Amino acid sequence: MKRSVRFPVSPTLLRRLALTSIIANVAIVVTGGAVRLTASGLGCPTWPRCTDESYTTTSEMGVHGVIEFGNRLLTFAVGIIALAVVLAVLTQRPRRRGLLPLAVGVLFGIPAQAVIGGITVLTNLNPWVVGLHFLASMVVIAVAYALWRRTVEPDGPVTPTVPAPLRTLAWITTVVGAAVLVVGTWVTGSGPHAGDQGAARNGLDPEAISQVHADGVFLLIGLSVALYFAFRAVGAARAARAAGVLLAVELGQGLIGFVQYFTHLPAVLVAAHMLGSCLVLLATLGVLRSTRERLPATPAALAAPAAEPVGATA
């Protein structure tokens, strides 16, 4: 009997596929924003069909139909990439621990996000559902990032790299960052880019909710500054670099946010702000990930106790 031929995937290819998945999911957030910013949210007025008679756009629907249908097609491309990642994980030899649940999570998160997108159409771009659609994409990006980082780590036990209070501070920063994202969707839902010209708004006062959002951004930046200097104080160079990247991204995102507010929300800056939201999320997760590391999966490492956190007292 002939033995089946296997085509094991190299670790390098798997890492590249995982990184491609992150990029693709960020891209679909930006293109989804383009749908909203061009008032094409109802370019395909129903779902899952584009019209009651057709799954594709028609010439009568014009450019808005093309933009909306194009975004739907991009969802299939992102899904194909996610499926390729799952297959790569399954065919890799030796099989890596912990990769398959993350890869499957990304794969199933994409159709779930697409369903929420369909609900936004069926509810005539309800601003709360539109915001949920954006936040669902953020969750998928977070899982894709965790998968990518896991592909570049060894399989040994996890050990902290900073003292426990700083790990707690990193988690607090992550929670505040998530809250800023949520409130940001409320800001969008109250303003001119909630869906399209005829879309309902959420009824919140734009100025008041924008101030709440700005306060959250200031708190997030303050926490990031504290993390940066605290990591430097305990000699955690990798964590300090990650906090420095986060701080730089936050300052850039904050600048875009203020400029777009005082220039009455031009579409180009709103799109840049959406991209910045993805980058802030990734940078925040990078800081959180930098507070721990995995040891090589050797018998000695598995038997050894966890390393003493940097900066801990004897």
Side-chain angles (χ1 to χ4, degrees):
M1 180 181 297
K2 293 184 179 180
R3 298 178 61 184
S4 60
V5 180
R6 293 180 177 177
F7 300 94
V9 173
S10 69
T12 300
L13 178 58
L14 178 57
R15 291 166 191 164
R16 289 175 178 173
L17 283 172
L19 181 58
T20 301
S21 181
I22 296 175
I23 296 171
N25 278 284
V26 170
I28 202 168
V29 169
V30 177
T31 58
V35 171
R36 180 159 46 83
L37 295 170
T38 57
S40 302
L42 294 177
C44 287
T46 188
W47 187 89
R49 293 174 182 262
C50 192
T51 69
D52 290 335
E53 295 79 21
S54 174
Y55 281 98
T56 63
T57 186
T58 62
S59 58
E60 293 81 4
M61 300 169 69
V63 67
H64 295 305
V66 172
I67 293 173
E68 165 65 7
F69 182 68
N71 184 249
R72 294 187 184 188
L73 285 180
L74 185 58
T75 300
F76 287 100
V78 175
I80 290 172
I81 294 171
L83 178 60
V85 174
V86 171
L87 294 176
V89 169
L90 290 173
T91 57
Q92 189 180 35
R93 297 293 183 271
R95 182 78 60 83
R96 295 284 309 281
R97 290 189 305 171
L99 292 183
L100 187 58
L102 293 172
V104 171
V106 174
L107 178 62
F108 281 93
I110 292 169
Q113 191 258 15
V115 169
I116 297 173
I119 294 174
T120 67
V121 174
L122 298 177
T123 57
N124 292 317
L125 306 180
N126 180 290
W128 299 106
V129 183
V130 172
L132 180 61
H133 186 46
F134 171 79
L135 294 174
S137 294
M138 295 294 102
V139 172
V140 175
I141 290 172
V143 178
Y145 176 81
L147 172 64
W148 174 67
R149 288 297 298 264
R150 191 68 185 84
T151 64
V152 300
E153 292 178 334
D155 289 327
V158 175
T159 181
T161 59
V162 300
L166 295 188
R167 297 198 300 276
T168 300
L169 183 59
W171 272 108
I172 293 173
T173 303
T174 303
V175 171
V176 171
V180 167
L181 283 175
V182 173
V183 177
T185 66
W186 300 349
V187 174
T188 299
S190 70
H193 297 304
D196 66 9
Q197 298 291 338
R201 280 20 179 194
N202 58 24
L204 299 175
D205 180 71
E207 288 191 15
I209 197 62
S210 294
Q211 184 60 58
V212 172
H213 183 58
D215 292 342
V217 171
F218 284 129
L219 175 59
L220 180 60
I221 291 175
L223 289 170
S224 301
V225 171
L227 278 175
Y228 174 74
F229 285 106
F231 288 153
R232 284 182 58 115
V234 299
R238 184 167 69 95
R241 286 194 299 271
V245 170
L246 172 60
L247 186 57
V249 173
E250 287 170 348
L251 291 174
Q253 174 74 336
L255 178 61
I256 294 172
F258 277 108
V259 172
Q260 73 170 4
Y261 179 79
F262 289 109
T263 55
H264 307 292
L265 305 175
V268 173
L269 288 182
V270 175
H273 200 57
M274 293 186 68
L275 174 60
S277 297
C278 299
L279 298 180
V280 169
L281 172 66
L282 293 171
T284 303
L285 295 175
V287 170
L288 192 62
R289 204 80 176 185
S290 71
T291 63
R292 33 79 82 204
E293 65 181 357
R294 283 186 178 273
L295 301 176
T298 62
L302 293 173
E308 189 72 14
V310 176
T313 56

